[in-house]
Amino acid sequence: MGRTDPPPAAPLPETWRLSMLVVLPVLVLFIGALQVFSRQDTWDRTYDLPLNGVLLFLLSGIWVATAQRWKDQTTLALMLLLSCAAFLTVKLALLAAVVHEPAVLVAELIETMVWLPTLFLWRLVADTPRSMINVLNALLGSVAVLSGVILLAPLLRGEALQPDVMRALLHLNLSAAVTLHLTSLFMRRHDDLGQRRGEQNALRVLSSTDLLTGLPGRTRLREDLGRMTQPGSAAFALLHVDVDGFKIVNATLGQPAGDTLLRVLAGELERLSGPDAQVYRLSGDEFVVLLPGVTPEQADWAGQVILHEAATEPSARVGVETTLSIGLTLYPHDSSDPDELLRHADSALFAVKRAGRRRLRRYHPEQDALTERSQLLAGELGARCTARN
């Protein structure tokens, strides 16, 4: 498959405006100094002086437009590139048409050799617009054509080729071609690396996001818990929410109905938990709600609101009454370890399930320690059986 054109480039940042406000005056001074120390021969007086005057006028206009914000930075950068490219193209065309002295040609070609690679470095500008790339490619082609005209012009006049001019032209085109090629390779590598980073970020998002509900998953929960349980962190509550009888909903109404119930429930959990809370889907019908900066009383109140209101809309959507069971644990009161907090909330939820569901229960160390121990032993036994098989 062939490479596709890149998407439209983003506008250049504000730093480019500040850079142009500094660089353009430097260019004006540089061109003025070249004119002061010119050879004062026929070429300099008749052709180079008007050319430099026009370029100075264009650069001054672009500087004023930049300072006054008359155009966006991408447009102004393109105008600067077009002005310099047009200047070099016209200069080479005039050299081919009117200059016959080898010494003058070599001196002017060396001067051009300084400008040309600098322009091709514009390809290194992040997100270079396609219009700029087209200008640079056209400039390279015109330089090659005009170089051929300069080289063959003596033959048309019946004169011999000038070795010094030939060498200068070879250096000029070699410098331009190598600079353009290397910057193109750099940009392709930059694009490839950017694409890889984008793919890696997308995979990371997918690995930490539940596709059904759009909520962050277990991976994100562990990352956030690790961050929120650092020494000196603010208190928070963790609610482990489970849908009662969800397997029956799937079995009787089908998986699409179950998926609808979970999606609607996810939205209700986010709505009822408040703007500062974060909701996660662990797996199946299990959710976790983190409530930062709450007291035990506020956590209990928020849990009661979720318990009695979150299932109303999902039940209406699927046509079956749905209830919830919730286990609650507090940081740092119950634990400062992320894994222990999850186990505590799971133990409290397990106690609710055994007691008949449809309740909110906070973790009690004295009552739930045996439950946690049983759960840990069951997990270890399951892991050993799996390893043996």
Side-chain angles (χ1 to χ4, degrees), residues 204 207-210 215-229 236-241 278-283 286-291 338-339 341-343 345:
R204 184 178 181 278
S207 67
S208 60
T209 303
D210 175 53
L215 296 176
R218 188 181 295 272
T219 301
R220 274 280 305 280
L221 173 61
R222 291 190 177 277
E223 292 175 355
D224 291 346
L225 281 177
R227 173 178 51 80
M228 296 174 68
T229 54
F236 66 87
L238 188 154
L239 302 175
H240 192 170
V241 182
Q278 179 62 62
V279 183
Y280 307 81
R281 183 189 178 199
L282 296 190
S283 61
E286 295 182 71
F287 296 84
V288 164
V289 180
L290 293 184
L291 301 172
D339 292 331
L341 285 171
L342 287 172
R343 287 201 303 270

Side-chain angles (χ1 to χ4, degrees), residues 271-305:
R271 182 180 67 85
L272 295 172
S273 300
D276 297 329
Q278 179 62 62
V279 183
Y280 307 81
R281 183 189 178 199
L282 296 190
S283 61
D285 58 341
E286 295 182 71
F287 296 84
V288 164
V289 180
L290 293 184
L291 301 172
V294 295
T295 64
E297 294 76 15
Q298 292 170 332
D300 184 75
W301 173 261
Q304 293 294 339
V305 171

Side-chain angles (χ1 to χ4, degrees), residues 308-331:
H308 294 97
E309 298 184 22
T312 302
E313 182 64 21
S315 299
R317 289 289 187 92
V318 299
V320 174
E321 182 182 3
T322 304
T323 59
L324 305 176
S325 296
I326 303 176
L328 167 64
T329 188
L330 300 174
Y331 169 87

Side-chain angles (χ1 to χ4, degrees), residues 37 109 123 208 280 321 364 388:
F37 295 102
L109 290 174
R123 286 186 72 100
S208 60
Y280 307 81
E321 182 182 3
H364 297 289
R388 290 177 181 177

Side-chain angles (χ1 to χ4, degrees), residues 1-7 130:
M1 297 177 62
R3 293 179 63 89
T4 58
D5 290 339
R130 172 58 61 182

Side-chain angles (χ1 to χ4, degrees), residues 212-215 260-274 279 287 310 313-314:
L212 176 64
T213 62
L215 296 176
T260 299
L261 186 150
L262 293 176
R263 280 195 296 266
V264 177
L265 177 60
E268 289 297 285
L269 290 175
E270 288 186 307
R271 182 180 67 85
L272 295 172
S273 300
V279 183
F287 296 84
E313 182 64 21

Side-chain angles (χ1 to χ4, degrees), residues 349-368:
L349 176 63
F350 184 76
V352 171
K353 293 287 189 178
R354 287 191 307 178
R357 306 176 181 180
R358 301 187 183 189
R359 289 177 52 199
L360 165 71
R361 185 179 187 278
R362 181 181 167 184
Y363 172 74
H364 297 289
E366 299 82 4
Q367 301 175 23
D368 296 333

